[in-house]
């Protein structure tokens, strides 16, 4: 009986295992292979050594990715809380509103942000009108707003595009959390802040962790957003990697950059996970 | 009398069979019906039926019953990588001159059977036998053009006549530049008076120096985004292809165009068939179809690029007939140079310099400070947790 069930498990699991081997494990090995070979296939460390030049770019990518993630978290958390507390009908309506922009293509949405943020764009014109009004006041002299081609624009693009990936996991976790725990905490005399700090937050940690991962990883490695919304000072590591494959035809350097980036992201996530474990351990 | 009839009859038969053959009239392509043709072209590089234009691909499908599988690429290098990586199967590609040279050198193009492309006769003599395909064996010109300087007359008051305008401090933050190394270096090299095909690495060093000087003036490096930006008046100056200027000019009449006096790049984009093509005959049929006058006029009107087709130039349906930007008279024709395929070393060197340029000017103080602060916060938090835990353990 036991044997049979394990056979069944194997069969049921096999599509995914085949998928994972073909499209995850094998490509990863290929990345590693390219990262440590030169054009003619000989083993070399040159690619890895030349990565030093891109330290600044990597640091910038991680920093902007982190900023975007933290901003998403700050925006998403209260929203998820409010949503989870609403009635089922309102909940589905709100979920729908969050999903709605995702029905449109990601590239298109970023492209429209480009037009909105341009100097003659909708948002900039509006803001500059306000600036002009303020400037008529005595002792006020503000510079006109410039949005496109700045790091701010890139972070905005990241937050806008990946925000749903932060909201949804947190919301799901909160929905499933046991209400009676909150009630128990209130019964035991905790005020609102205590309950929030000691019950709500620890319970939502798994959601935060998966939201963090799902926003941070694509933000760090993006190239489209930084190319469209960023300017000369916002080249991210994703851009460099993309160039290696698309234009420079230097798969080896591209692969080694991806390899290093992957390891760095892995470290960041490991640190993040360490925290969530600690938190869980202390509270529950 | 009987004999007379038989002679007449034979003559009629002869005319029916021989004459069409002699005139090279319609070959029979019915066996290609139901096959698929993979066409790989630049984005926005064919009359596609939008805004009441002729849908060229649909027309072809209707006439020959061949299904077209049409896809786009962004740059020659992009196309090359896709082709070289294998896997993808394309029957017709439209690379530029230097890329054709490279593809021929690497034995990736098939020789064309010109008996399937009788319309080749319309291709102007001056676009035949160019350096990349001296014996006219592999390619059929599709469009030709030059790179020039586009400027917005609302921002740039005095008309520029030199590439140096792209280095003018007055337009800091309002200059756009090519986001591909070959074209961007091309501009810098024309500006410096170098050959755009130099293999002297010192020349490339000089070119990157001026590009780095320009870096802080450039608002962004763009390719197709340029349409939006120039049409909306977001930028003052940008180097781009003459044909695309006409498209932008349609939307924003404040724009103007000039061929800088230092000279510029002249290019030919030509239709080729890769060696790996699986439907070569249909590919040749397609190339021939593209050279039909009606189709070529539709494409020329849609693309706004200059055409190498002799009949289009005289056609009354051609909206850009004699346009001074596309077809400058001798006096206004700039000195031009075509891109040649660079040798491997030079190409690598160029790509390396290009990377340097792209990460140049990233002043990352904020990133370093931000990340350090985050790291410190994390460590402090970890310590706090650790101490709390110890205390708790001590309590029990």
């Amino acid at each position: 009986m036991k044997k049979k069930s394990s056979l069944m498990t194997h069969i049921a699991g096999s599509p995914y295992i085949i998928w994972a081997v073909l499209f995850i494990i094998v490509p990863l090995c290929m990345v590693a292979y390219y990262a440590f070979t030169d054009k003619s296939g000989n083993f070399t460390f040159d690619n890895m050594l030349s990565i030093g030049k891109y330290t600044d770019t990597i640091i910038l990518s991680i920093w902007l990715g982190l900023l975007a993630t933290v901003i998403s978290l700050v925006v998403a958390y209260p929203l998820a809380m409010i949503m989870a507390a609403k009635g089922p009908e309102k909940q589905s309506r709100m979920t729908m509103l969050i999903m709605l922009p995702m029905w449109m293509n990601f590239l298109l949405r970023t492209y429209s942000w480009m037009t909105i943020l341009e100097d003659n764009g909708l948002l900039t014109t509006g803001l500059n009108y306000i600036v002009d009004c303020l400037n008529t006041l005595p002792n006020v002299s503000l510079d006109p707003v410039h949005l496109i081609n700045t790091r701010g624009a890139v972070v905005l693009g990241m937050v806008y595009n990946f925000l749903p990936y932060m909201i949804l996991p947190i919301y799901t976790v909160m929905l499933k959390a046991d209400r009676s725990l909150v009630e128990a905490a209130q019964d035991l005399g905790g005020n609102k802040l205590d309950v929030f700090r000691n019950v709500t937050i620890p319970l939502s940690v798994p959601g935060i962790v998966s939201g963090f991962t799902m926003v941070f990883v694509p933000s760090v490695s993006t190239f489209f957003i930084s190319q469209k919304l960023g300017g000369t000072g916002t080249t991210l590591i994703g851009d460099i990697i993309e160039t290696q494959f698309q234009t420079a035809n230097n798969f080896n350097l591209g692969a080694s950059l991806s390899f290093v980036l992957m390891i760095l992201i892995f470290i960041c996530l490991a640190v993040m996970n360490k925290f969530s474990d600690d938190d869980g351990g202390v509270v529950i | 009398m009987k004999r007379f009839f038989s002679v007449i009859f034979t003559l009629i038969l002869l005319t029916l069979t021989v004459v069409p053959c002699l005139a090279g009239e319609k070959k029979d392509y019915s066996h290609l019906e139901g096959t698929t043709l993979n066409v790989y072209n630049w984005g926005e590089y064919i009359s596609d039926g939008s805004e009441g234009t002729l849908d060229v691909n649909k027309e072809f499908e209707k006439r020959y019953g061949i299904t077209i599988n049409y896809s786009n690429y962004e740059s020659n290098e992009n196309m090359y990588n896709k082709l070289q990586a294998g896997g993808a199967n394309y029957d017709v590609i439209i690379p530029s001159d230097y890329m054709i040279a490279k593809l021929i050198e690497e034995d990736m193009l098939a020789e064309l059977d010109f008996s399937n492309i009788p319309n080749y006769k319309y291709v102007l003599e001056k676009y035949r036998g160019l350096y990349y395909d001296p014996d006219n064996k592999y390619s059929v010109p599709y469009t030709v053009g030059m790179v020039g300087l586009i400027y917005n007359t609302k921002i740039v008051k005095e008309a520029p006549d030199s590439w140096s305008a792209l280095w003018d401090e007055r337009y800091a933050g309002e200059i756009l530049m090519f986001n591909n190394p070959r074209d961007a270096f091309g501009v810098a090299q024309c500006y410096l008076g170098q050959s755009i095909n130099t293999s002297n690495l010192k020349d490339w060093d000089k070119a990157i120096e001026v590009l780095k000087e320009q870096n802080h003036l450039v608002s962004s490096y763009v390719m197709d985004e340029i349409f939006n930006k120039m049409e909306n008046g977001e930028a003052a100056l940008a180097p781009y292809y003459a044909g695309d200027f006409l498209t932008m000019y349609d939307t924003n009449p404040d724009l103007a165009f000039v061929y800088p006096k230092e000279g510029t790049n002249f290019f030919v984009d030509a239709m080729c068939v890769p060696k790996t093509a699986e439907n070569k005959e249909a590919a040749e049929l397609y190339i021939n179809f593209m050279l039909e006058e009606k189709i070529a006029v539709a494409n020329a009107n849609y693309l706004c690029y200059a055409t190498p087709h002799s009949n289009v130039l005289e056609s009354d349906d051609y909206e850009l007939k004699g346009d001074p930007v596309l077809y400058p008279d001798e006096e206004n024709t700039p000195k031009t140079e075509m891109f040649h395929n660079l040798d491997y070393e030079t190409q690598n060197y160029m790509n390396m310099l290009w990377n340097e340029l792209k990460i140049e000017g990233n002043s990352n103080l904020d990133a370093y400070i931000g990340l350090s602060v985050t790291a410190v916060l994390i460590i402090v938090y970890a310590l706090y947790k650790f101490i709390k835990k110890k205390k708790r353990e001590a309590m029990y």
Side-chain angles (χ1 to χ4, degrees):
Chain A
M1 194 64 201
K2 199 183 170 195
K3 204 171 181 187
K4 199 178 169 193
S5 83
S6 84
L7 183 70
M8 281 306 288
T9 339
H10 272 135
I11 292 171
S14 59
Y16 179 70
I17 290 170
I18 294 171
W19 175 272
V21 169
L22 273 183
F23 299 115
I24 299 174
I25 311 284
V26 172
L28 272 180
C29 294
M30 280 165 73
V31 170
Y33 169 78
Y34 273 112
F36 290 103
T37 50
D38 62 13
K39 201 129 197 140
S40 44
N42 301 320
F43 180 81
T44 174
F45 272 119
D46 286 355
N47 304 318
M48 285 293 170
L49 292 176
S50 64
I51 284 174
K53 272 195 278 183
Y54 303 103
T55 321
D56 272 6
T57 317
I58 295 177
I59 294 281
L60 181 68
S61 309
I62 294 181
W63 170 235
L64 294 188
L66 193 70
L67 266 182
T69 317
V70 170
I71 295 173
S72 305
L73 182 63
V74 170
V75 175
Y77 200 87
L79 182 64
M81 248 174 87
I82 293 167
M83 270 170 70
K86 288 271 193 274
E89 200 174 299
K90 266 201 177 143
Q91 274 183 25
S92 63
R93 219 177 295 153
M94 288 176 88
T95 325
M96 165 102 160
L97 277 178
I98 290 165
M99 301 292 290
L100 201 66
M102 291 169 76
W103 295 355
M104 253 172 285
N105 187 291
F106 155 75
L107 306 181
L108 271 182
R109 279 179 285 144
T110 309
Y111 221 90
S112 23
W113 266 114
M114 197 172 99
T115 328
I116 294 171
L117 296 178
E118 291 285 9
D119 283 343
N120 298 334
L122 214 62
L123 189 61
T124 323
T125 321
L127 285 176
N128 277 333
Y129 181 73
I130 298 173
V131 167
D132 284 343
C133 289
L134 287 176
N135 278 344
T136 55
L137 300 173
N139 298 330
V140 180
S141 79
L142 297 166
D143 285 332
V145 187
H146 175 72
L147 298 175
I148 192 79
N149 301 341
T150 59
R151 287 179 189 176
V154 176
V155 173
L156 175 72
M158 291 174 179
V159 171
Y160 174 78
N161 278 309
F162 305 129
L163 188 62
Y165 300 109
M166 184 63 98
I167 300 175
L168 294 177
I170 297 179
Y171 159 72
T172 321
V173 166
M174 283 188 168
L175 205 59
K176 277 191 282 182
D178 198 345
R179 286 288 299 165
S180 54
L181 285 175
V182 175
E183 280 156 19
Q186 282 165 344
D187 282 350
L188 291 170
N191 61 25
K192 272 186 177 162
L193 189 65
D194 283 335
V195 174
F196 179 69
R197 215 169 49 138
N198 294 322
V199 181
T200 316
I201 289 193
L203 281 178
S204 61
V205 162
I208 297 178
V209 172
S210 77
F212 189 96
T213 317
M214 281 159 75
V215 176
F216 183 69
V217 175
S219 300
V220 171
S221 52
T222 187
F223 59 87
F224 189 78
I225 296 176
S226 57
Q227 272 171 16
K228 301 298 153 192
L229 303 179
T232 42
T234 57
T235 308
L236 300 186
I237 195 65
D239 298 318
I240 302 282
I241 296 175
E242 194 238 356
T243 316
Q244 300 317 309
F245 289 98
Q246 297 273 37
T247 356
N249 198 15
N250 189 347
F251 288 21
N252 306 92
L253 180 58
S256 50
L257 282 169
S258 319
F259 197 71
V260 168
L261 184 62
M262 221 150 51
I263 292 171
L264 287 175
I265 290 179
F266 193 74
I267 293 173
C268 291
L269 295 182
V271 170
M272 177 75 197
N273 272 323
K274 180 86 184 66
F275 270 109
S276 58
D277 289 352
D278 278 2
D279 260 346
V282 170
V283 179
I284 301 169
Chain B
M1 199 60 188
K2 201 176 171 193
R3 201 189 164 116
F4 176 73
F5 271 118
S6 68
V7 166
I8 291 283
F9 189 66
T10 329
L11 271 178
I12 289 173
L13 266 182
L14 264 177
T15 21
L16 277 177
T17 52
V18 175
V19 169
C21 287
L22 285 179
E25 263 294 299
K26 307 267 178 203
K27 263 194 177 183
D28 183 26
Y29 291 107
S30 55
H31 62 284
L32 293 171
E33 234 167 85
T35 56
T36 306
L37 181 71
N38 293 303
V39 179
Y40 198 31
N41 192 0
W42 297 80
E44 284 287 305
Y45 217 45
I46 193 168
S47 177
D48 64 357
S50 59
E51 294 163 30
T53 52
L54 180 76
D55 190 334
V56 169
N57 282 338
K58 216 180 219 165
E59 186 79 16
F60 181 80
E61 291 184 327
K62 215 164 63 191
R63 190 180 315 168
Y64 296 103
I66 298 170
T67 315
I68 292 183
N69 184 2
Y70 187 77
S71 47
N72 293 149
Y73 54 87
E74 244 182 15
S75 70
N76 280 306
E77 287 73 17
N78 205 290
M79 187 270 315
Y80 172 79
N81 286 334
K82 201 86 168 272
L83 204 63
Q84 199 206 25
N89 160 35
Y90 299 109
D91 299 309
V92 179
I93 53 173
I94 311 190
S96 311
D97 34 50
Y98 72 98
M99 190 49 74
I100 297 175
K102 182 176 172 138
L103 290 171
I104 292 176
E105 196 176 297
E106 297 180 12
D107 198 24
M108 287 165 76
L109 291 186
E111 280 191 31
L112 299 174
D113 176 0
F114 280 90
S115 70
N116 286 330
I117 315 176
N119 289 341
Y120 187 70
K121 62 176 183 262
Y122 296 125
V123 173
L124 288 175
E125 197 56 47
K126 62 175 169 178
Y127 300 120
R128 296 187 192 187
L130 292 170
Y131 86 90
Y132 55 86
D133 186 10
D135 303 325
N136 292 319
K137 281 198 294 203
Y138 299 96
S139 62
V140 175
Y142 180 57
T143 53
V144 298
M146 287 183 274
V147 175
L149 192 57
I150 303 174
Y151 59 98
N152 188 327
T153 49
K154 280 227 167 119
I155 309 173
V156 183
K157 292 296 175 209
E158 46 208 275
D161 65 343
S162 148
W163 288 119
S164 62
L166 290 171
W167 276 264
D168 193 330
E169 295 279 345
R170 280 178 296 175
Y171 308 118
E174 292 183 295
I175 292 171
L176 300 175
M177 195 64 184
F178 277 116
N179 192 18
N180 89 51
R182 199 70 210 264
D183 280 319
F185 273 103
V187 168
Q189 287 169 324
C190 286
Y191 170 55
L192 289 172
Q194 299 174 356
S195 158
I196 51 181
N197 297 308
T198 173
S199 59
N200 182 351
L201 299 187
K202 289 219 177 81
D203 283 345
W204 291 92
D205 286 338
K206 269 186 219 143
I208 192 72
E209 228 167 82
V210 292
L211 284 176
K212 280 181 179 171
E213 263 169 46
Q214 189 201 29
N215 188 285
H216 75 279
L217 304 173
V218 172
S219 90
S220 59
Y221 293 91
V222 293
M223 288 308 287
D224 283 346
E225 303 93 309
I226 191 177
F227 287 96
N228 245 319
K229 294 196 186 243
M230 289 311 283
E231 283 168 8
N232 294 337
E234 297 297 339
L237 289 151
Y240 220 64
Y241 313 109
D244 291 327
F245 159 71
L246 292 172
T247 311
M248 294 175 215
Y249 181 74
D250 262 353
T251 325
N252 185 355
D254 292 333
L255 298 178
F257 187 86
V258 63
Y259 290 116
K261 60 179 182 211
E262 291 94 343
T264 185
N265 163 236
F266 165 75
F267 64 85
V268 176
D269 288 344
M271 299 177 274
C272 303
V273 178
K275 261 221 159 113
T276 49
E278 283 170 7
N279 203 354
K280 181 160 177 273
E281 208 179 351
E284 285 157 353
L285 193 62
Y286 185 79
I287 293 175
N288 191 50
F289 175 78
M290 295 290 259
L291 288 175
E292 255 171 45
E293 187 176 328
K294 186 176 139 208
I295 304 299
V297 167
N299 277 332
N301 280 338
Y302 183 90
L303 296 181
C304 302
Y305 276 64
T307 176
H309 194 290
S310 55
N311 278 17
V312 172
L313 289 175
E314 277 137 37
S315 163
D316 288 330
D317 294 329
Y318 185 38
E319 292 157 13
L320 296 163
K321 198 169 163 180
D323 186 277
V325 168
L326 292 185
Y327 310 105
D329 50 29
E330 217 153 288
E331 192 184 326
N332 293 316
T333 306
K335 196 177 84 191
T336 60
E337 192 179 0
M338 292 184 90
F339 281 133
H340 285 234
N341 185 25
L342 298 172
D343 59 80
Y344 180 70
E345 246 86 286
T346 316
Q347 229 172 86
N348 256 2
Y349 195 69
M350 176 186 79
N351 283 323
M352 195 199 78
L353 293 178
W354 181 248
N355 277 350
E356 259 176 43
L357 173 70
K358 291 308 274 299
I359 57 177
E360 164 96 2
N362 273 13
S363 74
N364 280 344
L365 207 59
D366 58 334
Y368 279 104
I369 293 174
L371 281 183
S372 328
V373 169
T374 319
V376 168
L377 282 179
I378 289 176
I379 293 169
V380 167
Y381 183 74
L383 273 178
Y384 165 77
K385 282 275 163 189
F386 181 73
I387 290 167
K388 210 169 151 189
K389 204 169 155 191
K390 280 274 159 210
K391 266 190 188 161
R392 199 176 280 233
E393 273 164 12
M395 270 167 65
Y396 296 116

